[in-house]
Amino acid sequence: MKVRTSEFKYMNYVKRYFSMLLPLLAALQFTSGGLLIAFQVENEYGFNPQKDLDYIQQLYQTTRKYGIKELLVTSDAPYMTMDFTQDWSETHHTLMNTTFHDIYESILKYPASINLYMFHGGTNWGFLNGANIGSGNNSYYQPTTTSYDYDAPLPEAGHLRDTVMVLINGVLTSTPLASSDNFNGFGYWRLENSYITSTSTNLVNATLDLIVENWGRGNFGNLCFQCKGLTENNQVYLNDEELLFWTMYPFEFRKSWTSNLDGWKPVKGDLQTGPALYKGTLSFAEDPTDTFINMQKWTKDVVIVNEFVLGRYALVGPQQTLYLPGSFLIKGDNEIIFEQFNAAKNTIFSADP
């Protein structure tokens, strides 16, 4: 499915979503006594090298269909800065208030208008973090963090393309993530064709497993350059012979899928190196409040709280904590699952990110 295009399947989902969202917003328009004075159609679509004008026209028609009467804009207009912002990028960038003020004043004197992006920091729950895509290859792929705080005045809490792990007979043979330097090697996105020596001895009737992880579906940049998992142009070779007829098992992490996980066993001795699920219980005698899960001692993947996918984490940063609202927790026992390949022996909670 090609996202942000006029492809029928994609637009069917967009229109289904808009049919629920836009009537709620229509009631809040300025012409209806509300506070909304304009609506943005799409976001920075001009940066996409493959422009689908029929897609934009369908968005316009759908927006008007559900009662939106106010001014419609895009984020490509020269007299409107839609994203007056600071960003995460490779590090969590922040600005001094004086610098922020000076830039703000210069835009208004241009003259132009600004949209403070964002006033309230948000969270990319679950697997909805997204990613930036480069000009046509994976070398500039940048997955977005779970946190979408952007150093907002009102903070988040209110006060990588696919990667591959290789296992032979259930034992991890590829290099575990240890630093951002690993992105230049096998199993990550910067090399178009890479290889690994899995064993120095001959094996008979061995089982080869590939765990493919999507670090964030591309939603900015070259949107037409997207693929996932094993495709017709993404083959696997063993000793120069192409491997075919794979058996695939999806890790869906939907609530129904997660709730049916079984085979849990106590962790004894040293923790294994390799992909695994780890489950723990967090108990409250009173009603829980907001907190942050500090994942600095863990390696990489996701946190699931009471069957809800909270978000992603990685030791390479820039984000090291995950916001956990108190409303996601219950009085009594709460089940927390960590999925990754190099576990820590404990988990730390903190009041601040």
Side-chain angles (χ1 to χ4, degrees):
M1 182 171 65
K2 296 181 179 179
V3 300
R4 300 176 76 178
T5 71
S6 59
E7 182 184 88
F8 176 80
K9 185 176 181 180
Y10 173 71
M11 283 305 302
N12 187 50
Y13 284 112
V14 171
K15 292 176 180 178
R16 190 172 75 178
Y17 173 60
F18 276 12
S19 70
M20 302 298 294
L21 172 67
L22 295 182
L24 299 176
L25 299 178
L28 303 176
Q29 295 179 99
F30 184 76
T31 51
S32 299
L35 298 176
L36 301 182
I37 62 173
F39 290 79
Q40 179 179 309
V41 179
E42 247 288 349
N43 182 58
E44 298 177 341
Y45 194 66
F47 286 93
N48 180 13
Q50 308 294 332
K51 297 175 180 61
D52 186 342
L53 297 183
D54 182 47
Y55 162 62
I56 298 297
Q57 183 65 28
Q58 288 192 50
L59 290 181
Y60 167 79
Q61 293 171 346
T62 304
T63 301
R64 292 304 192 203
K65 175 182 177 181
Y66 290 105
I68 302 302
K69 301 176 182 178
E70 302 294 346
L71 174 69
L72 300 181
V73 300
T74 72
S75 62
D76 308 300
Y79 298 105
M80 179 63 186
T81 303
M82 294 300 296
D83 287 6
F84 184 54
T85 183
Q86 304 172 74
D87 67 89
W88 270 98
S89 190
E90 289 80 10
T91 59
H92 193 184
H93 298 294
T94 60
L95 289 177
M96 297 292 293
N97 288 339
T98 53
T99 304
F100 193 87
H101 174 270
D102 292 343
I103 297 174
Y104 177 79
E105 288 290 335
S106 66
I107 294 175
L108 295 182
K109 290 178 181 179
Y110 179 72
S113 300
I114 67 105
N115 173 54
L116 185 59
Y117 185 84
M118 45 193 8
F119 179 79
H120 172 37
T123 308
N124 298 311
W125 302 117
F127 302 104
L128 300 177
N129 55 300
N132 295 340
I133 304 177
S135 59
N137 59 62
N138 284 342
S139 59
Y140 295 101
Y141 171 79
Q142 293 180 309
T144 306
T145 58
T146 290
S147 174
Y148 215 67
D149 190 291
Y150 276 67
D151 200 35
L154 186 62
E156 180 179 24
H159 52 204
L160 278 132
R161 188 57 72 178
D162 297 343
T163 59
V164 177
M165 288 185 283
V166 179
L167 295 88
I168 301 294
N169 292 336
V171 178
L172 183 68
T173 59
S174 55
T175 303
L177 179 65
S179 73
S180 58
D181 292 337
N182 292 129
F183 297 153
N184 298 315
F186 175 86
Y188 297 91
W189 52 81
R190 291 180 180 170
L191 295 181
E192 183 174 358
N193 293 303
S194 57
Y195 66 91
I196 183 175
T197 301
S198 295
T199 176
S200 58
T201 59
N202 293 327
L203 300 177
V204 179
N205 295 326
T207 299
L208 171 64
D209 291 312
L210 302 181
I211 298 181
V212 181
E213 181 190 3
N214 169 11
W215 278 40
R217 297 300 287 160
N219 65 325
F220 182 85
N222 189 3
L223 300 176
C224 292
F225 187 75
Q226 299 199 61
C227 54
K228 182 177 180 180
L230 300 180
T231 68
E232 59 183 7
N233 296 318
N234 188 17
Q235 301 92 345
V236 178
Y237 292 86
L238 179 63
N239 296 338
D240 297 325
E241 181 178 346
E242 183 178 0
L243 300 181
L244 302 171
F245 309 112
W246 292 88
T247 300
M248 297 189 182
Y249 302 94
F251 288 7
E252 297 179 346
F253 292 111
R254 298 181 180 182
K255 288 186 176 181
S256 58
W257 187 89
T258 304
S259 63
N260 288 319
L261 291 172
D262 56 17
W264 298 100
K265 56 185 179 181
V267 176
K268 297 180 180 179
D270 295 333
L271 297 172
Q272 69 179 53
T273 297
L277 293 175
Y278 295 88
K279 181 173 70 172
T281 300
L282 177 64
S283 299
F284 292 96
E286 305 294 336
D287 292 333
T289 58
D290 293 359
T291 186
F292 289 84
I293 302 182
N294 189 325
M295 302 304 297
Q296 286 181 289
K297 293 185 177 181
W298 293 70
T299 306
K300 166 71 186 79
D301 249 325
V302 300
V303 176
I304 305 168
V305 178
N306 293 333
E307 301 174 0
F308 178 82
V309 180
L310 199 64
R312 306 172 188 265
Y313 62 89
L315 61 81
V316 297
Q319 183 179 355
Q320 299 290 357
T321 60
L322 289 173
Y323 172 48
L324 175 55
S327 58
F328 287 12
L329 300 166
I330 61 173
K331 184 177 179 180
D333 292 343
N334 296 264
E335 182 180 86
I336 302 180
I337 296 177
F338 307 93
E339 187 266 331
Q340 59 105 63
F341 55 86
N342 225 354
K345 292 184 178 181
N346 55 45
T347 305
I348 301 172
F349 294 84
S350 59
D352 300 302

